[in-house]
Amino acid sequence: MNEKLTTAAAHIQKVKPCNPKVGIVLGSGLGDFVNQIENKTIISYDDIPNFHKTTVEGHAGQLILGNVGETEVVILQGRFHSYEGLPMDDVVFPTRLLSTLGVETLILTNAAGGINTNYSAGDLVIIEDHINMTGKNPLIGPNNDEMGPRFPDMSKAYDPELRELVQSSAKDLGYQMQTGVYAGVLGPTYETPAEVRMLRIIGADVVGMSTVPECIAANHIGMKVCGISCVTNMASGIENVELKHEDIKDEALRVMEKFTNILKETVKRIGA
Ligand code: HPA
């Protein structure tokens, strides 16, 4: 695995020598954030050695190097999901690659269903913790000791200082954000209403099909993680509507301005 990562990182350094300390993963429908990046270098996932190709609609599949203000960033526009049938090693390869490139702070963003009935579509949620409901874990198998410990601590999986930084960035821009627990499920089906009721009882505020594997791999390898969910819909059974991927992407687009402003401000403050 380390050799695969080194090869992939070497390719990126050859295309554009870089030293990003901040990495951002853009979720479904949130890819437009790349328009905010200055001095962009775009590298297609297809050209990165050992990378898988993205398949899901709304996920472009490119790595972008550039700047947000003074801060050098690397962005993953499009991610891999376990439900695509990929081994977990492939799902978290991009996360680990960001660490190989020097990233110390990882911002994970996603589209999610709102479970907490105080939420509504269009809300942005700072992830304070997660519940792994996938039945999988990217660290299963022999531990890579060079990467991190066999039994990583997950008591601050989403860094409290980063959570505070996102909250204060949003507040200073005049935006309200929610704070909540993300339940990570395998998908690709949306949940049943009974599953949503169960997730609420066990303490989840939002539900989605990504982020958890990346957060685990990032904590293992020693990156600080920050998570932001865009509530694109209320989860199954809360409102009497059918859930459609198209509508979910459209809702993410509607939140784009708020999402972009908060993310930009946060990245600037991380770099400062
Ligand atoms: N459930 C799971 N994943 C999601 C949802 C949802 O309701 N909305 C966006 N991603």
Side-chain angles (χ1 to χ4, degrees), residues 111-113 190-191 207-209 232-233 235 243 248:
Y190 292 116
E191 300 66 42
V207 56
M209 304 173 197
T232 48
N233 57 283
L243 298 185
I248 283 169

Side-chain angles (χ1 to χ4, degrees), residues 33-99:
F33 180 76
V34 298
N35 297 330
Q36 306 301 317
I37 309 305
E38 299 141 41
N39 307 318
K40 272 197 282 268
T41 302
I42 299 175
I43 305 172
S44 164
Y45 287 177
D46 295 349
D47 298 332
I48 304 174
N50 305 313
F51 241 65
H52 267 267
K53 326 246 165 297
T54 38
T55 53
V56 184
E57 264 183 88
H59 298 248
Q62 49 194 20
L63 182 147
I64 294 130
L65 298 164
N67 279 73
V68 174
E70 301 285 292
T71 312
E72 194 178 338
V73 297
V74 51
I75 298 200
L76 296 172
Q77 186 183 15
R79 52 152 60 96
F80 303 117
H81 303 83
S82 191
Y83 64 70
E84 294 171 72
L86 302 180
M88 273 289 181
D89 267 352
D90 290 341
V91 173
V92 299
F93 187 85
T95 305
R96 288 172 169 158
L97 177 62
L98 295 192
S99 172

Side-chain angles (χ1 to χ4, degrees), residues 1-263:
M1 180 52 111
N2 292 15
E3 207 180 299
K4 284 185 177 175
L5 287 167
T6 315
T7 308
H11 172 81
I12 289 159
Q13 292 289 357
K14 205 173 81 190
V15 175
K16 176 84 204 291
C18 61
N19 183 27
K21 297 284 173 240
V22 179
I24 304 169
V25 181
L26 296 175
S28 250
L30 300 170
D32 280 6
F33 180 76
V34 298
N35 297 330
Q36 306 301 317
I37 309 305
E38 299 141 41
N39 307 318
K40 272 197 282 268
T41 302
I42 299 175
I43 305 172
S44 164
Y45 287 177
D46 295 349
D47 298 332
I48 304 174
N50 305 313
F51 241 65
H52 267 267
K53 326 246 165 297
T54 38
T55 53
V56 184
E57 264 183 88
H59 298 248
Q62 49 194 20
L63 182 147
I64 294 130
L65 298 164
N67 279 73
V68 174
E70 301 285 292
T71 312
E72 194 178 338
V73 297
V74 51
I75 298 200
L76 296 172
Q77 186 183 15
R79 52 152 60 96
F80 303 117
H81 303 83
S82 191
Y83 64 70
E84 294 171 72
L86 302 180
M88 273 289 181
D89 267 352
D90 290 341
V91 173
V92 299
F93 187 85
T95 305
R96 288 172 169 158
L97 177 62
L98 295 192
S99 172
T100 311
L101 287 171
V103 167
E104 294 166 355
T105 302
L106 179 66
I107 304 176
L108 299 171
T109 72
N110 58 56
I115 291 178
N116 186 325
T117 51
N118 294 321
Y119 293 1
S120 18
D123 280 357
L124 292 175
V125 183
I126 300 168
I127 302 176
E128 63 178 329
D129 205 348
H130 76 218
I131 302 173
N132 181 3
M133 296 297 287
T134 65
K136 295 190 174 187
N137 191 302
L139 306 182
I140 286 171
N143 186 52
N144 185 331
D145 294 329
E146 280 173 44
M147 229 176 242
R150 171 75 291 187
F151 302 108
D153 176 41
M154 290 291 280
S155 59
K156 289 178 182 164
Y158 298 84
D159 187 75
E161 284 176 22
L162 286 171
R163 275 151 46 197
E164 194 50 49
L165 196 75
V166 178
Q167 188 66 266
S168 56
S169 300
K171 212 176 255 170
D172 292 349
L173 293 169
Y175 295 118
Q176 290 271 359
M177 286 184 84
Q178 308 278 9
T179 298
V181 172
Y182 178 94
V185 297
L186 197 51
T189 45
Y190 292 116
E191 300 66 42
T192 64
E195 286 165 346
V196 170
R197 288 193 297 274
M198 172 196 72
L199 293 172
R200 184 179 298 122
I201 288 165
I202 64 173
D205 298 294
V206 285
V207 56
M209 304 173 197
S210 65
T211 301
V212 162
E214 293 141 319
C215 175
I216 291 171
N219 273 274
H220 179 236
I221 212 163
M223 286 189 282
K224 284 186 179 171
V225 175
C226 171
I228 301 173
S229 287
C230 169
V231 178
T232 48
N233 57 283
M234 289 310 285
S236 169
I238 297 176
E239 290 166 351
N240 189 21
V241 292
E242 198 183 324
L243 298 185
K244 296 200 199 96
H245 185 58
E246 282 306 314
D247 298 344
I248 283 169
K249 275 195 303 182
D250 287 347
E251 183 57 35
L253 278 176
R254 271 191 284 278
V255 186
M256 211 54 218
E257 187 183 333
K258 175 168 66 167
F259 173 79
T260 295
N261 290 341
I262 293 171
L263 194 50

